[in-house]
Amino acid sequence: MDLLTVTTVLVACMCQKMVQGYSYPTYYMESRCGGSLDVSNFDATRLLLTSRFSYRSNERCKLTVQVANGKRIMAKFSSLDIESSAFCRDDRLTLYDGPSTTSPALSGINGICGFSTPSTVYVTSGQYLTLYFQSDFLLQYKGFTVILTEFSYTCNNVTSFHCRNRRCIDSSLTCDGWNNCGDSTDEIEGCGLSTGGVAGIVIGAFFVVVVLITVSIFVRRRRARYTVLLSVR
């Protein structure tokens, strides 16, 4: 393995850790269809639609997630891969602010679909979040990954981190590579890097890779010319 390959791998691992540096309990919605999931023992949870390569056709799956009494849930997607259609009429995921599908829809009446990760942070008004997924018989994709963070608006000065948006999350969730606050303050304050610092690392890493690629191409061309000269002699 040459210097370019090693450096590229190291930079990729560093950037991936900065973006996805979390290790939360993981659950699959398909394996709990029609049931509930109590995550009150966890400060953050990773929920995926399926453990398989793609979700099922003609699927109807409902799951209600519950956190501790007095707490709320913040849902932020890290990936979305659901068949796209006008008004999400074919396949879609809908989030409800409460224990059932009769609760107010957080994601709108048309739900969520497509292949672009939503930038919206969905926040409940209480301890329950209900997810409902439905698909048709045509195309099936991977589904989604969403991070559910338990929070409140009352901070414990010993165990809580106070986000700038007034949300309080467990202090163990800071500097772990995931935006649990919803405004990224848990990944900036006390983490040793400002937003500008993170951007500087990424930009610097990019230029390092570009320079190494250029040097590698130059070296390979010189070697090729040297090989040709030797063969002529």
Side-chain angles (χ1 to χ4, degrees), residues 132-173:
Y132 183 76
F133 177 79
Q134 65 181 69
S135 63
D136 62 10
F137 64 94
L138 288 176
L139 302 174
Q140 292 81 47
Y141 296 90
K142 184 60 181 175
F144 63 83
T145 302
V146 62
I147 306 300
L148 307 175
T149 302
E150 180 183 89
F151 78 96
S152 70
Y153 287 106
T154 304
C155 281
N156 182 313
N157 293 331
V158 177
T159 61
S160 297
F161 175 83
H162 197 174
C163 309
R164 290 183 187 175
N165 56 20
R166 295 179 48 247
R167 295 173 191 152
C168 301
I169 63 172
D170 193 86
S171 58
S172 65
L173 299 176

Side-chain angles (χ1 to χ4, degrees), residues 66-186:
Q66 175 183 353
V67 294
N69 187 29
K71 300 285 188 177
R72 302 187 186 191
I73 302 173
M74 186 192 78
K76 182 172 174 57
F77 287 85
S78 63
S79 68
L80 186 71
D81 192 24
I82 298 174
E83 181 186 359
S84 181
S85 61
F87 305 107
C88 297
R89 63 177 180 271
D90 296 331
D91 301 355
R92 67 175 177 267
L93 171 70
T94 309
L95 305 181
Y96 295 94
D97 183 14
S100 72
T101 53
T102 61
S103 304
L106 288 172
S107 52
I109 58 174
N110 294 321
I112 303 168
C113 66
F115 308 105
S116 298
T117 304
S119 58
T120 303
V121 177
Y122 300 95
V123 178
T124 65
S125 59
Q127 68 183 121
Y128 295 101
L129 171 69
T130 297
L131 302 92
Y132 183 76
F133 177 79
Q134 65 181 69
S135 63
D136 62 10
F137 64 94
L138 288 176
L139 302 174
Q140 292 81 47
Y141 296 90
K142 184 60 181 175
F144 63 83
T145 302
V146 62
I147 306 300
L148 307 175
T149 302
E150 180 183 89
F151 78 96
S152 70
Y153 287 106
T154 304
C155 281
N156 182 313
N157 293 331
V158 177
T159 61
S160 297
F161 175 83
H162 197 174
C163 309
R164 290 183 187 175
N165 56 20
R166 295 179 48 247
R167 295 173 191 152
C168 301
I169 63 172
D170 193 86
S171 58
S172 65
L173 299 176
T174 60
C175 309
D176 66 350
W178 182 255
N179 177 15
N180 296 96
C181 278
D183 63 2
S184 298
T185 50
D186 57 306

Side-chain angles (χ1 to χ4, degrees), residues 28-33 48-50 52 55-56 59 61:
Y28 299 96
M29 184 174 172
E30 278 189 347
S31 65
R32 294 173 174 268
C33 284
L48 289 77
L49 175 57
T50 180
R52 299 178 299 111
Y55 51 79
R56 300 182 178 93
E59 186 165 18
C61 184

